[in-house]
Amino acid sequence: MPKLLEVKDLRKYFPIRQGILRRTIGHVKAVDGLSFDVERGETLGLVGESGCGKTTASRCLLRLITPTSGNFTFGDEQINLAKLTNKQMRPFRRRIQMIFQDPQSSLNPRMTVANIVGEPLRVNRTVQKNELQDRIVELLESVGLKSQDMRRYPHAFSGGQRQRIGIARALALNPELIVADEPVSALDVSVQAQILNLLAELREKFQLSYIFIAHDLSVVRHISDRVAVMYLGKIVEISDSETLYQSPKHPYTEALISAVPLPDPKEQRKRELIRLEGDVPDPSQPPTGCYFHPRCRYATDICKEETPELREITTGVKVACHLSETLELQGV
Amino acid sequence: MLLISKAFCYKIYTYLHKINTIGSDNELTQNLLEVSNLKTVFPTDGGIVHAVNDVSFSIQRGKTVGIVGESGCGKSVTGLSLLQLVPTPGRIAAGAIMFYREETDEPLDIAQASPRSELMRKIRGNEIAIIFQEPMTSLNPVYTVGDQIAEAIVLHQEGKRSLLDRIVMQKTPKWARERAIEMLSRVGIPAPEQRVDEYPHQLSGGMRQRVMIAMALCCAPTLLIADEPTTALDVTIQAQVLTLMQDLQTEFGMAIMLITHDLGIIADMADEVVVMYAGRVVETGTVDDIFYNPLHPYTRGLLNSIPNLKGSQDITLPSISGTVPHPLALPIGCSFQPRCAEQMSVCEQMPELNIIDDTQNMQTENGCHAVRCWLCEEKTDAEIA
């Protein structure tokens, strides 16, 4: 059986235009050759710092923006969605849905909850008019809201509840894949746990697959089966989450894990901390060779010249590093 | 120029001297700031919001106190109250903020000082400095970072302006600019001579936060209030900024009041922790008390609900049900009781913040583990009996 989603060499370059003629003088390589796949019922976590292309990648997958090159196939049909026209894309849109980061700005303040959740149902004509109400109630109850909430407006809800409305809207058309772009980063810790539990519960109930984008490594670990780490538009490491956190194979993953302060004072005092120098480079002028080499503490000459390919070193573990076999990196 | 840097060196020297004397005189317990029964209120159309309600804690010299809580629990307003910076119509309604200044032995009650007084202006930025969460909005986009850092230096070292400076009325005299460059290099900004003339938009988020820190530290304050200093930053940059703050703390010997919602940062930085919920302190103690012996159900709930980098990942996260109550519709009695798993009938009365004597407490000299919960009152009563 084919995988639910297979992405091959996805690229999205944004042109930089300048001058009166608006000539293209360069490109911001937001997503630069991304390859991964998502199995049915699986959650793939996508982590990386801001500006590494996580959100651009997710928008390409939903075809909210058209990728520059590359292809990705979805579902059993094995159709390359990257090349489809908007019209051809329509039947697929209901099968891939999105949950947005900011529940404040992703809900229309002038629509009631019933309208927000019911809109995808009405647009796609998936239910009869007289069944619409029941379906909305069903959706609201599945995300832990009450049926009388449907007549209220988004401003009457707290952040966590608004995120639940966003989730109900994403579920409305029984999608197969949900792309969740930082769904919990705007929420408080206690509410964050509620939403994470809800997402896990819905995955079981509706056999969903998630692409879960976040910058918080502990959140990603909790919900994901596999995790892909991105740096400057490329995947530097992808493996199942247990292996990734226990024994990272890329120096960037190691540094990321080390940078997360553990909520355990004694453990934290004992840890040997790796502090990355400098900032993420400008994606319009990436460094030569391995993009990470200027900040990498293990960098050798080969790293400055040759760009490492993402290669499988053991089953299920793919790393883009020249030195991954020789390095002994520390995990959590 | 020479004179100025000499004066500054002296200031640093007195600081270092002070730290040494504190250490030798066994006066580790010396408090820099004592907040007692602080109440900050915001009159609104719907009624009075008690943003900070009966909050007491103290900050020792050179130590870090972490204030932790969810949004709307009053942690930021507490920070602003210490500087008399509460935005209108808010005001400090009751309580005392005793600030032990270095020049005088008599403590100063900031709560009594007028927000616009000359005295408060002298304290702000000079003796107590603050770093805000979002470095982009707290920097002025139309001035260079050098000018903004120098502003504080010029303001607080007025007497040190030469006659020429005063006649020319130059915004940034040369000596202040030199100090700004020195501070920029201190906070680890590469090529500070060029960066000093750049505008905030030319810097990255981490750099901007470094500029904020440079600005806060340029007058060597005795207390630094850091209000969510790394929330807008990436983890790797957050790690850089936290390390920088720790290094500068040992260098300048200042106390830090760290306001955050991230318990990981608290574990990393804080010596003592104050947990707030709905405007009140629900638990305070040393960092070890809070993390290894949390007594309040809210503290326990918070600690349990963070996904960890270690341990098994498949279990559902224990979460606290419900949401933070609206500040105008606080529940009767303990504000946490509707969400509390261990709710009892007695919870309809407000419990007091009681000091707990537990074993871990004995190890610390000044640690004071206090909890506002009926569960713990029972326990102590039983122990006494």
Side-chain angles (χ1 to χ4, degrees):
Chain A
M1 199 155 106
K3 298 204 162 104
L4 181 66
L5 179 77
E6 270 181 82
V7 182
K8 281 204 190 78
D9 210 25
L10 187 73
R11 282 164 209 272
K12 178 66 194 177
Y13 294 175
F14 291 105
I16 308 169
R17 297 179 203 277
Q18 218 171 47
I20 310 166
L21 299 172
R22 311 306 296 162
R23 276 202 306 207
T24 305
I25 53 155
H27 284 99
V28 175
K29 297 177 178 174
V31 174
D32 197 9
L34 221 55
S35 303
F36 61 89
D37 45 52
V38 181
E39 307 255 13
R40 272 164 215 282
E42 183 189 50
T43 302
L44 177 76
L46 210 55
V47 284
E49 293 177 276
S50 50
C52 74
K54 313 184 287 277
T55 300
T56 308
S58 71
R59 276 163 202 239
C60 285
L61 295 181
L62 283 146
R63 285 294 309 274
L64 294 174
I65 48 177
T66 310
T68 312
S69 71
N71 51 48
F72 60 99
T73 54
F74 180 75
D76 299 330
E77 291 90 339
Q78 295 294 300
I79 296 169
N80 180 12
L81 299 192
K83 298 279 171 358
L84 294 187
T85 61
N86 270 341
K87 203 177 170 190
Q88 289 169 316
M89 189 64 204
R90 291 201 83 174
F92 290 97
R93 295 221 184 261
R94 70 176 69 168
R95 298 168 59 187
I96 312 176
Q97 289 287 320
M98 189 157 187
I99 300 170
F100 297 92
Q101 171 173 11
D102 184 1
Q104 181 80 51
S105 56
S106 59
L107 303 176
N108 188 340
R110 302 182 57 172
M111 283 163 80
T112 60
V113 172
N115 277 332
I116 291 171
V117 178
E119 192 177 32
L121 299 169
R122 267 182 285 118
V123 169
N124 287 281
R125 296 196 190 86
T126 47
V127 288
Q128 297 295 316
K129 248 192 186 144
N130 50 1
E131 290 167 11
L132 187 66
Q133 200 88 332
D134 296 339
R135 176 75 181 133
I136 293 169
V137 172
E138 189 190 327
L139 283 166
L140 288 180
E141 276 167 1
S142 67
V143 297
L145 294 170
K146 295 187 199 81
S147 57
Q148 58 263 39
D149 288 336
M150 62 193 277
R151 267 172 278 280
R152 299 164 77 196
Y153 288 88
H155 71 83
F157 294 90
S158 68
Q161 286 173 316
R162 280 196 209 118
Q163 199 56 288
R164 286 172 194 266
I165 300 171
I167 294 171
R169 174 176 62 184
L171 289 175
L173 295 167
N174 293 318
E176 292 159 55
L177 177 68
I178 289 186
V179 179
D181 189 0
E182 304 260 14
V184 294
S185 62
L187 306 176
D188 276 319
V189 204
S190 69
V191 182
Q192 170 179 301
Q194 292 172 11
I195 297 295
L196 286 176
N197 286 341
L198 174 69
L199 287 171
E201 186 191 308
L202 293 171
R203 177 178 56 190
E204 301 303 314
K205 199 167 155 192
F206 298 108
Q207 262 101 64
L208 295 168
S209 307
Y210 291 131
I211 293 181
F212 192 94
I213 300 169
H215 65 272
D216 186 331
L217 278 102
S218 39
V219 168
V220 168
R221 174 179 182 271
H222 183 78
I223 197 150
S224 308
D225 303 309
R226 285 190 307 140
V227 177
V229 182
M230 281 184 76
Y231 187 73
L232 230 60
K234 286 177 191 289
I235 288 180
V236 294
E237 180 167 359
I238 181 167
S239 72
D240 68 284
S241 57
E242 207 53 41
T243 323
L244 188 102
Y245 287 90
Q246 291 303 326
S247 53
K249 291 278 176 281
H250 196 283
Y252 179 61
T253 317
E254 183 194 30
L256 265 189
I257 293 170
S258 171
V260 180
L262 290 179
D264 185 341
K266 284 180 186 156
E267 199 77 35
Q268 182 67 19
R269 273 170 234 148
K270 269 192 295 188
R271 273 173 112 195
E272 189 207 332
L273 299 180
I274 303 159
R275 294 288 186 242
L276 280 187
E277 297 292 315
D279 284 315
V280 180
D282 182 358
S284 64
Q285 285 155 340
T288 56
C290 172
Y291 285 179
F292 185 58
H293 87 258
R295 299 173 82 192
C296 181
R297 59 179 193 163
Y298 307 105
T300 56
D301 287 339
I302 187 171
C303 303
K304 286 174 195 151
E305 288 144 22
E306 269 179 58
T307 310
E309 292 297 314
L310 189 67
R311 60 205 162 86
E312 192 153 9
I313 53 167
T314 44
T315 6
V317 182
K318 287 183 182 172
V319 186
C321 178
H322 292 299
L323 310 166
S324 51
E325 277 89 355
T326 52
L327 291 178
E328 277 293 322
L329 303 178
Q330 59 170 5
V332 198
Chain B
M1 232 306 287
L2 241 167
L3 246 169
I4 302 316
S5 44
K6 231 182 201 172
F8 186 76
C9 286
Y10 180 72
K11 203 170 178 192
I12 297 276
Y13 169 77
T14 47
Y15 269 103
L16 293 174
H17 187 68
K18 200 156 230 168
I19 303 159
N20 288 337
T21 47
I22 290 167
S24 59
D25 291 1
N26 212 358
E27 276 182 54
L28 265 166
T29 54
Q30 195 186 6
N31 283 340
L32 174 66
L33 191 93
E34 284 166 12
V35 179
S36 46
N37 307 95
L38 180 70
K39 263 186 195 189
T40 305
V41 295
F42 288 82
T44 64
D45 292 344
I48 293 173
V49 172
H50 295 267
V52 177
N53 203 348
D54 203 12
V55 164
S56 308
F57 62 94
S58 59
I59 302 175
Q60 294 166 36
R61 283 184 195 278
K63 290 286 169 108
T64 304
V65 172
I67 310 258
V68 67
E70 295 179 279
S71 49
C73 74
K75 51 191 195 309
S76 287
V77 178
T78 309
L80 292 174
S81 302
L82 299 192
L83 281 168
Q84 278 282 8
L85 278 177
V86 185
T88 48
R91 62 189 172 85
I92 297 175
I97 304 167
M98 295 313 234
F99 179 46
Y100 294 84
R101 304 173 76 187
E102 40 183 292
E103 298 103 63
T104 50
D105 288 332
E106 280 295 295
L108 166 83
D109 188 358
I110 293 179
Q112 298 298 326
S114 156
R116 287 160 185 264
S117 62
E118 194 60 33
L119 184 67
M120 276 321 295
R121 283 196 195 149
K122 267 197 185 134
I123 290 173
R124 281 185 209 125
N126 194 22
E127 291 169 51
I128 305 178
I130 187 162
I131 310 172
F132 295 100
Q133 174 175 356
E134 183 48 71
M136 192 64 215
T137 48
S138 32
L139 286 169
N140 190 331
V142 299
Y143 289 111
T144 64
V145 294
D147 280 346
Q148 295 183 58
I149 298 171
E151 189 186 3
I153 302 170
V154 174
L155 270 177
H156 293 298
Q157 301 184 358
E158 181 74 25
K160 286 150 196 166
R161 289 170 92 173
S162 67
L163 193 61
L164 186 74
D165 287 338
R166 286 174 206 220
I167 294 167
V168 182
M169 284 298 283
Q170 203 179 354
K171 179 160 172 49
T172 306
K174 210 174 162 206
W175 59 267
R177 190 187 141 89
E178 305 264 324
R179 276 285 301 137
I181 295 175
E182 193 189 321
M183 278 319 294
L184 284 177
S185 69
R186 203 56 147 293
V187 295
I189 288 184
E193 293 83 4
Q194 280 120 55
R195 293 292 186 180
V196 74
D197 291 323
E198 287 188 357
Y199 290 88
H201 74 266
Q202 290 168 293
L203 307 174
S204 67
M207 288 286 182
R208 277 183 218 136
Q209 201 55 291
R210 281 166 196 268
V211 169
M212 287 298 296
I213 294 174
M215 208 188 285
L217 295 186
C218 65
C219 293
T222 42
L223 173 64
L224 176 70
I225 301 170
D227 187 357
E228 305 262 9
T230 56
T231 308
L233 307 175
D234 279 315
V235 264
T236 58
I237 309 297
Q238 165 178 301
Q240 288 175 5
V241 170
L242 291 181
T243 316
L244 172 71
M245 279 173 63
Q246 279 168 331
D247 291 350
L248 292 171
Q249 183 177 26
T250 39
E251 196 182 323
F252 288 85
M254 67 197 167
I256 297 180
M257 176 174 151
L258 181 71
I259 300 169
T260 180
H261 65 273
D262 188 332
L263 286 158
I265 296 177
I266 292 283
D268 192 14
M269 300 276 293
D271 298 305
E272 272 165 58
V273 185
V274 177
V275 185
M276 284 182 75
Y277 186 77
R280 286 178 196 268
V281 175
V282 293
E283 186 163 1
T284 80
T286 60
V287 69
D288 287 3
D289 282 339
I290 297 293
F291 279 87
Y292 300 119
N293 189 21
L295 291 173
H296 198 282
Y298 177 65
T299 318
R300 271 186 258 153
L302 266 190
L303 284 168
N304 287 335
S305 60
I306 28 177
N308 208 332
L309 281 179
K310 275 187 164 174
S312 77
Q313 58 172 135
D314 291 329
I315 42 157
T316 36
L317 279 175
S319 63
I320 308 174
S321 63
T323 49
V324 182
H326 192 273
L328 281 173
L330 289 182
I332 311 158
C334 170
S335 331
F336 188 61
Q337 52 119 331
R339 302 177 74 188
C340 185
E342 292 163 80
Q343 186 203 13
M344 304 173 288
S345 57
V346 68
C347 294
E348 287 186 5
Q349 286 154 36
M350 176 58 78
E352 292 296 311
L353 193 65
N354 280 321
I355 294 172
I356 306 291
D357 272 318
D358 47 16
T359 43
Q360 263 167 326
N361 203 9
M362 300 309 195
Q363 294 157 7
T364 54
E365 306 97 40
N366 194 46
C368 162
H369 194 176
V371 187
R372 188 190 288 277
C373 184
W374 288 112
L375 285 172
C376 304
E377 296 216 346
E378 261 188 2
K379 218 177 267 175
T380 44
D381 283 347
E383 273 163 24
I384 292 162

